[in-house]
Amino acid sequence: MSDTSILTRTEAAERHRLLDVRTVHLDLDLTRGREVFGSTTVIRFGCTTPGAATSVDVKPAALHRVVLNGRELDVTTLRNGRLPLTDLAADNELTVEADMAYSHTGEGMHRFTDPADGEDYVYTQSFLDDGPRVFASFDQPDLKARYTVSVTAPQQWTVVGNSLGRQTSPGRWEFDTTPAISSYLLAVVAGPLHSVRAEHDGIPLGLHCRRSLAAHLDADAAELLEITRQGFDHYHRVFRHRYPFDSYDQCFVPEFNAGAMENPGCVTLRDEYVFRSAVTDTRREERAMVVIHEMAHMWFGDLVTMKWWDDLWLNESFAEYMAYSVTAASTRFTGAWTGFAADRKPWGYDADQRPSTHPVAPGTVEDTAQALQNFDGISYAKGAAVLRQLVAWLGEETFLTGVNDYFDAHAFGNATLDDLLRALAAASGRDVHAWADRWLRTSGVDTLRVADGRIEHTSADGALRPHQLTAGHYRRTADGALELADRVPLDLPGDLPGDGAVPLDPPADGTELTLLNDTDLSYVKIRLDPASWRTARSSLGAVPEELARAVLWGAARDQVRDGELAPGEYLRLVADHLPGETSVHLMDAVLSFARDFVADCALPPAERPAALAELARVCRTLLRRTENEPDRTGLRLVAVRGVIATAADEADAAELRDWLAAGTVPGGPELDPDLRWQLLARLCVLGAAGEPEIAAELAADPSDTSEQGAARCRAALPDPAAKEAAWQALFHGELSNYLAAATAKGLWQPEQAELLDELTVRYFEELAPAAARRGPALARVLTTAAFPAFAATERTVRAAEACLTDPDLTVATRRGLVDQLDTLRRAARARALTGQ
Ligand SMILES: [Zn+2]
């Protein structure tokens, strides 16, 4: 995609000044074969300056015909996805007829053939600027229109759209006209879908998935519908506006790039959320949160939409904050905030300490390519954490009053950050703008450190943000455990005259551990005083609250990343305190970090085997602890996955082969597709399985899970030919987004460093052209899963730096590389701490 197809903020503002888009009639023909589909768009719009010129966005495979006000336009004037329109009238009708190409990267209209039964499915992802790959439009969030969609599809297909629809004749579907919505929210999902229908509070509900997943969706439909009902009830309780659309369909679709997308009335979710295999309860919690998150967008984002992408945070931070708070308050997943602390906030902290960080609410986002890069840990995790601070400061009722006033003022229209701040300021009588300047317009993480009875408040940018938080004081009980002696609220004002230190009231006698932010209310890094850190090292596992333990593990994690704590020290904490851990959130998050960053990247290669052995011991202890118990939370599942991931020698491989042959782990669980493929992948890495086993597994369960598992296994084999085949597929082939990610996950293995040495050099030579050729979604795969993160050496750092000097890198590639380079440098620094 050429850069000139990218819409700039200035162009959007000019087009908004000129146009008033009223209605769009879209007619799609999904019966034109597997390569293209037909798309006819009729747009009716006003123009404030008759005689003026503008352009319409359309990215077709073949543009057949364009008619403006009865005048046939020259289709060869199409350049880079823009077609010029001249001599506009006060009232205009534009018709665009085209063939559009199906995609296999999750962008535009994605087409997927299910290996399980050969059935085809298609779905749109119009976000962020991929709508013109499906239909012609004035593609910017502040030119909303009422859409009337009709679709011709194969007769046995079901078609789902933003509004209620019906089959009017065999294969012909008509949908009701929507309220005014932005073009990036237009959605169509079609195929021989399996559907579950229900109703709640007058709203028709639908759950849809591929036919081959029918039994799995049916098994979980009650849970999904319950979460959906709980979400609607909660939002209807706290928002004045009722749900603004006529129905609510949730479509689980294959090879989806994001978690889900908030298309009004037609949410699309990655269909890995229809579980084919056993999952931890935290994974169910994550799915519930995604459901609640997308539902929040029906108000925040869909009813009231940001004017331009610089207010993206209005969408994502709010939806993310609501997801956690509503899930914790109104569903069975009452521990959702622990998940936020353990799994989600680190994404924000990491992003906020990279060179690519940006304010939650950036002053300006110049174009759509830049906007896409802001879908990161800042907009989601930090934004949600910051809103939590705002709610703590204003009080929830006042906050909701402001938000409701904002909905009232801008319903079915667009708004800016300033509109929201004014509504919150009016509702609260507080200086919300000053708060926003400090929290939303700056970037970077504050650090709070307890020293000499005071709290030292520092930050990288020198600006200090205000914090509402608590401090917990813990003392030793008679039986050697720790108990909370006192919890005190703290209100740190932020920018202070003097040295930024605040006195901390002396704790009661016998306090052994003082923990700032122990309830994880604020967004901040914490450092303990030396005595408290000694207690944490000896007794982290004895801290009674799960959330406080999450804060301590978080502090240990970022000390490793900051080069303040040696990786070996972190592993000692894991060895001492994880075997007794009961929280699946913590078990999962800590083991993942210990394995993926500490063992694979931050330790010198010579020390990795001992680290893996230590992690294996932890997992085996957990396995013994969970024997003969029903695994309600999934703790045993985490242990099993951990044992597989840390298998290293002949004896380990023999054990895994026994499990595979028996179809079960002794004492359970039975091996389901996810576990079988994880296990086989590990055996492939170790050279203890190969093509015959992969082919047998694939034949036993023909499915997309298996195709991805096989791609990963083949790429993981310790064999130069296998590596080269994976390489060619990734960098020079046409793999779909999911098969590319699976191949990338298999490719790099620290055990195979010697075999991979040449490829770590080639990576930096072949990345840029491959990423440019395949577009932003694949660029993300190529700079994340396909990045040689394990090779945390000076040579790799220098190669990445050199690669970044290429002026022709796409925006997505550059951003991905900058972020990986930051992690690489941190890993290299941590290695240096170990002294090798
Ligand atoms: Zn969202």
Side-chain angles (χ1 to χ4, degrees), residues 372-561:
L372 193 59
Q373 302 314 312
N374 285 350
F375 278 79
D376 59 9
I378 305 287
S379 292
Y380 287 80
K382 179 180 180 180
V386 166
L387 282 182
R388 201 174 179 210
Q389 277 289 291
L390 180 63
V391 175
W393 181 51
L394 296 180
E396 191 168 10
E397 207 170 309
T398 305
F399 172 75
L400 286 170
T401 301
V403 167
N404 277 311
D405 293 345
Y406 168 84
F407 289 154
D408 283 349
H410 306 286
F412 300 107
N414 297 83
T416 63
L417 168 58
D418 197 54
D419 293 322
L420 178 68
L421 295 180
R422 269 187 284 141
L424 292 169
S428 65
R430 303 221 196 172
D431 191 352
V432 182
H433 286 83
W435 177 91
D437 282 344
R438 285 151 98 183
W439 266 114
L440 302 177
R441 294 297 195 193
T442 61
S443 49
V445 190
D446 288 4
T447 301
L448 299 178
R449 181 187 304 272
V450 177
D452 305 325
R454 304 191 314 167
I455 301 171
E456 289 174 12
H457 187 174
T458 56
S459 75
D461 66 349
L464 301 180
R465 285 142 279 260
H467 293 269
Q468 309 272 322
L469 73 165
T470 58
H473 299 294
Y474 294 84
R475 68 179 167 220
R476 194 70 66 179
T477 62
D479 59 3
L482 285 175
E483 68 176 7
L484 184 69
D486 194 14
R487 172 170 291 142
V488 291
L490 295 171
D491 182 356
L492 304 185
D495 279 328
L496 290 171
D499 61 1
V502 179
L504 180 66
D505 287 339
D509 284 350
T511 293
E512 286 195 20
L513 168 64
T514 293
L515 180 59
L516 295 177
N517 205 30
D518 64 322
T519 50
D520 200 41
L521 191 56
S522 197
Y523 173 84
V524 67
K525 291 187 355 179
I526 56 132
R527 292 292 183 267
L528 281 67
D529 63 275
S532 292
W533 183 242
R534 274 196 300 279
T535 304
R537 284 166 100 146
S538 68
S539 310
L540 197 165
V543 172
E545 299 97 344
E546 184 179 86
L547 198 49
R549 292 200 300 280
V551 171
L552 282 166
W553 280 115
R557 179 188 186 279
D558 62 49
Q559 286 178 82
V560 175
R561 285 178 48 86

Side-chain angles (χ1 to χ4, degrees), residues 200-550:
H200 180 63
D201 199 2
I203 305 164
L205 306 178
L207 303 173
H208 313 271
C209 71
R210 282 183 273 150
R211 217 174 252 176
S212 65
L213 297 177
H216 305 290
L217 181 66
D218 288 349
D220 273 3
E223 176 172 323
L224 283 163
L225 289 170
E226 182 184 28
I227 299 291
T228 305
R229 292 185 180 108
Q230 287 166 332
F232 271 123
D233 287 349
H234 189 108
Y235 290 131
H236 281 153
R237 205 160 52 238
V238 299
F239 294 154
R240 263 178 246 143
H241 258 268
R242 254 187 77 82
Y243 172 64
F245 307 101
D246 68 8
S247 52
Y248 198 70
D249 286 294
Q250 296 176 86
C251 305
F252 294 86
V253 296
E255 300 194 307
F256 198 69
N257 284 325
M261 177 67 205
E262 67 268 23
N263 314 300
C266 185
V267 172
T268 38
L269 303 95
R270 59 168 57 214
D271 69 13
E272 287 154 293
Y273 284 129
V274 178
F275 303 129
R276 290 187 76 217
S277 298
V279 293
T280 60
D281 210 42
T282 53
R283 181 84 171 140
R284 291 184 178 277
E285 175 181 302
E286 177 195 319
R287 179 176 70 180
M289 232 135 33
V290 171
V291 168
I292 301 282
H293 173 118
E294 303 312 322
M295 203 179 284
H297 276 311
M298 297 301 127
W299 285 263
F300 245 105
D302 295 0
L303 174 67
V304 179
T305 310
M306 78 229 131
K307 183 164 174 50
W308 178 246
W309 301 108
D310 43 14
D311 281 331
L312 171 75
W313 84 282
L314 281 182
N315 276 11
E316 295 314 335
S317 306
F318 264 93
E320 187 84 345
Y321 168 73
M322 294 310 281
Y324 283 95
S325 63
V326 174
T327 301
S330 290
T331 76
R332 76 179 172 90
F333 300 107
T334 52
W337 287 114
T338 306
F340 189 59
D343 300 332
R344 200 65 162 174
K345 277 173 91 179
W347 185 31
Y349 289 134
D350 292 357
D352 211 7
Q353 295 175 80
R354 291 192 183 119
S356 59
T357 187
H358 54 88
V360 172
T364 51
V365 171
E366 287 305 337
D367 57 43
T368 50
Q370 196 56 52
L372 193 59
Q373 302 314 312
N374 285 350
F375 278 79
D376 59 9
I378 305 287
S379 292
Y380 287 80
K382 179 180 180 180
V386 166
L387 282 182
R388 201 174 179 210
Q389 277 289 291
L390 180 63
V391 175
W393 181 51
L394 296 180
E396 191 168 10
E397 207 170 309
T398 305
F399 172 75
L400 286 170
T401 301
V403 167
N404 277 311
D405 293 345
Y406 168 84
F407 289 154
D408 283 349
H410 306 286
F412 300 107
N414 297 83
T416 63
L417 168 58
D418 197 54
D419 293 322
L420 178 68
L421 295 180
R422 269 187 284 141
L424 292 169
S428 65
R430 303 221 196 172
D431 191 352
V432 182
H433 286 83
W435 177 91
D437 282 344
R438 285 151 98 183
W439 266 114
L440 302 177
R441 294 297 195 193
T442 61
S443 49
V445 190
D446 288 4
T447 301
L448 299 178
R449 181 187 304 272
V450 177
D452 305 325
R454 304 191 314 167
I455 301 171
E456 289 174 12
H457 187 174
T458 56
S459 75
D461 66 349
L464 301 180
R465 285 142 279 260
H467 293 269
Q468 309 272 322
L469 73 165
T470 58
H473 299 294
Y474 294 84
R475 68 179 167 220
R476 194 70 66 179
T477 62
D479 59 3
L482 285 175
E483 68 176 7
L484 184 69
D486 194 14
R487 172 170 291 142
V488 291
L490 295 171
D491 182 356
L492 304 185
D495 279 328
L496 290 171
D499 61 1
V502 179
L504 180 66
D505 287 339
D509 284 350
T511 293
E512 286 195 20
L513 168 64
T514 293
L515 180 59
L516 295 177
N517 205 30
D518 64 322
T519 50
D520 200 41
L521 191 56
S522 197
Y523 173 84
V524 67
K525 291 187 355 179
I526 56 132
R527 292 292 183 267
L528 281 67
D529 63 275
S532 292
W533 183 242
R534 274 196 300 279
T535 304
R537 284 166 100 146
S538 68
S539 310
L540 197 165
V543 172
E545 299 97 344
E546 184 179 86
L547 198 49
R549 292 200 300 280

Side-chain angles (χ1 to χ4, degrees), residues 100 140 187 243 308 322 368 460 488 564 579 617 659 805:
M100 302 284 188
Q140 60 192 67
Y243 172 64
W308 178 246
M322 294 310 281
T368 50
V488 291
E564 297 171 15
R617 265 194 294 280
W659 292 4
T805 61

Side-chain angles (χ1 to χ4, degrees), residues 99-116:
D99 274 356
M100 302 284 188
Y102 290 112
S103 92
H104 298 285
T105 62
E107 298 155 307
M109 180 87 81
H110 187 89
R111 189 174 182 111
F112 172 82
T113 303
D114 192 338

